[in-house]
Amino acid sequence: MQLKNFQYNKIIREYDKRQLDNRHQLEERIKEIYNLFPEMKEIDDQIVSNSIQSAKLSLMGDDQALTTLADRNMDLSMRKIEILTENGYSSTYLTPSFQCKDCKDTGYIGKEKCHCFKQAIVDLLYSQSNIKGIMQQENFSSFRYDFYPDSYVEETTGLTPLANIRKVVASCMEYIDSFDTTYANLLLYGNAGVGKTFLANCIAKELLDRSHTVIYLTAFQLFDILEKNKFNKDQEKEEANEQFAYILDCDLLIIDDLGTELNNSFVTSQLYLCINERHLRKNSTIISTNLSWDNLNTNYSERIFSRIASNYKLLKIVGDDIRIKKAFSN
Ligand SMILES: [Zn+2]
């Protein structure tokens, strides 16, 4: 999984910029606070002078005096927090703020790439920033239960669409909560427009927020990459190779709208390769499809079907076409 130099540099530049922005923001805040409350500057000067004193004392081995100075600095730090909170500021106003607390926006934890760095690679390879924009709108807090009727019982589920979707969402929540400890896959199926993609995006956002690497691809995009990986030469193939490695390796792969791609024996064998390899690596996959359970069986090979049947939790979503409802409610 080699990133090309220019790609690596692009990500590193992002991190440099982020660190610079953080520093700049902190300096601005310190300036603001010193201006408003000159006592803060005196306290900081005192803390620095105490620290220098401590360094000298530690050379001389005077432990007693060291402890006293450490206590004094602790009191001074408390006093700083008091001044901030008494004046309506947050107690962490002068603490550096990071987008990723785990690596402090350096991209690395020790010598290892941080999860945020890995996701940055994924974003770069798949231009997923667009998806992130969608996730800001399509997440559990904007999920609309009122799109699901409660007025009739749907035959196959034995529930009203509303009761069914509540059950499905509960299963998705459970899936998210046990993602770290339990390997599991989901198949979201149902007619077009019942909210499968929306739900997949909700799950993706939750897992991204919990520091997992997530790749979202429509079936069409996925097979396009797989095809390039197999047939194309040189430059394009090299890129597709890298993408393929991440497709197998990311924490969660979402294959949206399976069944809309042009189906042929190549697609079928590649799909099997992809879901089987992820299964062997215990990397989770979510598939959404408009195909019925029977059509899934006839459209793809027996071994794909049995992989899905034995390793995926099936969640059927029923209801009316939400896209039509949305168009009328706007
Ligand atoms: Zn990080």
Side-chain angles (χ1 to χ4, degrees):
M1 269 193 279
Q2 280 287 310
L3 265 194
K4 287 193 205 67
N5 264 342
F6 80 91
Q7 292 175 314
Y8 182 82
N9 289 339
K10 193 174 171 198
I11 296 175
I12 287 292
R13 269 201 306 277
E14 266 303 306
Y15 278 98
D16 286 346
K17 183 179 175 304
R18 217 177 281 170
Q19 288 179 47
L20 207 68
D21 288 348
N22 293 344
R23 253 200 312 272
H24 183 69
Q25 185 200 51
L26 188 61
E27 280 164 11
E28 287 293 309
R29 286 184 172 191
I30 290 174
K31 219 187 286 171
E32 174 198 350
I33 295 294
Y34 280 0
N35 257 332
L36 289 170
F37 318 106
E39 189 193 347
M40 286 291 261
K41 167 130 180 53
E42 287 160 26
I43 294 175
D44 274 340
D45 289 345
Q46 190 58 52
I47 290 176
V48 170
S49 128
N50 285 351
S51 303
I52 296 169
Q53 185 72 11
S54 296
K56 284 184 194 156
L57 288 171
S58 103
L59 284 176
M60 289 166 9
D62 189 344
D63 291 344
Q64 178 67 38
L66 263 179
T67 320
T68 316
L69 272 184
D71 287 348
R72 214 173 287 163
N73 268 359
M74 180 67 86
D75 290 343
L76 289 169
S77 300
M78 296 301 286
R79 175 66 195 135
K80 281 177 70 180
I81 289 175
E82 252 173 46
I83 294 174
L84 286 174
T85 49
E86 276 168 5
N87 290 285
Y89 285 88
S90 136
S91 60
T92 57
Y93 191 68
L94 296 180
T95 320
S97 59
F98 302 108
Q99 278 185 36
C100 176
K101 288 188 181 68
D102 297 332
C103 67
K104 298 192 166 51
D105 291 347
T106 60
Y108 280 83
I109 300 173
K111 283 183 178 167
E112 295 288 317
K113 284 191 187 85
C114 181
H115 55 82
C116 68
F117 198 106
K118 290 180 188 164
Q119 187 64 40
I121 295 172
V122 165
D123 289 351
L124 187 75
L125 289 177
Y126 297 93
S127 322
Q128 299 240 302
S129 30
N130 178 35
I131 297 299
K132 279 194 177 156
I134 293 171
M135 282 173 202
Q136 290 313 313
Q137 283 151 22
E138 302 199 344
N139 54 62
F140 280 118
S141 59
S142 60
F143 196 88
R144 296 266 308 261
Y145 287 98
D146 59 337
F147 282 143
Y148 296 86
D150 203 21
S151 50
Y152 63 91
V153 171
E154 194 271 336
E155 223 173 276
T156 57
T157 53
L159 296 167
T160 67
L162 178 65
N164 179 65
I165 196 67
R166 287 196 191 284
K167 223 172 121 183
V168 168
V169 169
S171 292
C172 292
M173 292 295 194
E174 209 181 296
Y175 176 80
I176 293 161
D177 285 337
S178 58
F179 192 83
D180 285 324
T181 49
T182 316
Y183 160 69
N185 309 295
L186 300 179
L187 178 79
L188 306 171
Y189 71 112
N191 293 338
V194 290
K196 300 183 296 292
T197 303
F198 196 110
L199 206 52
N201 283 336
C202 292
I203 298 173
K205 181 177 187 302
E206 288 296 316
L207 291 176
L208 275 172
D209 288 350
R210 297 179 193 198
S211 310
H212 293 287
T213 48
V214 179
I215 294 179
Y216 166 98
L217 294 170
T218 61
F220 190 83
Q221 291 169 322
L222 173 68
F223 293 114
D224 189 47
I225 293 168
L226 296 180
E227 206 160 329
K228 282 182 184 144
N229 181 50
K230 186 133 177 128
F231 297 118
N232 283 39
K233 294 263 173 296
D234 311 329
Q235 172 76 20
E236 217 178 8
K237 175 160 183 164
E238 197 185 317
E239 216 161 279
N241 252 325
E242 271 168 39
Q243 291 182 325
F244 188 54
Y246 279 94
I247 285 173
L248 299 182
D249 211 44
C250 62
D251 296 336
L252 174 66
L253 172 69
I254 297 174
I255 307 173
D256 198 18
D257 248 349
L258 186 72
T260 51
E261 74 286 347
L262 286 173
N263 198 337
N264 54 39
S265 60
F266 167 76
V267 162
T268 305
S269 70
Q270 289 295 295
L271 179 62
Y272 178 75
L273 178 83
C274 183
I275 62 178
N276 188 53
E277 186 59 32
R278 288 189 59 82
H279 172 65
L280 295 176
R281 297 184 190 193
K282 300 271 177 282
N283 288 331
S284 300
T285 307
I286 295 178
I287 297 176
S288 93
T289 183
N290 293 347
L291 295 175
S292 69
W293 192 227
D294 288 339
N295 281 341
L296 208 58
N297 193 6
T298 44
N299 284 25
Y300 298 94
S301 64
E302 178 60 39
R303 47 184 197 160
I304 290 181
F305 185 74
S306 77
R307 262 277 166 269
I308 293 179
S310 52
N311 297 307
Y312 282 62
K313 180 169 183 161
L314 309 183
L315 297 175
K316 182 169 185 181
I317 307 177
V318 295
D320 307 339
D321 194 326
I322 290 169
R323 294 166 302 181
I324 295 171
K325 288 199 177 183
K326 267 190 185 162
F328 279 107
S329 68
N330 279 340

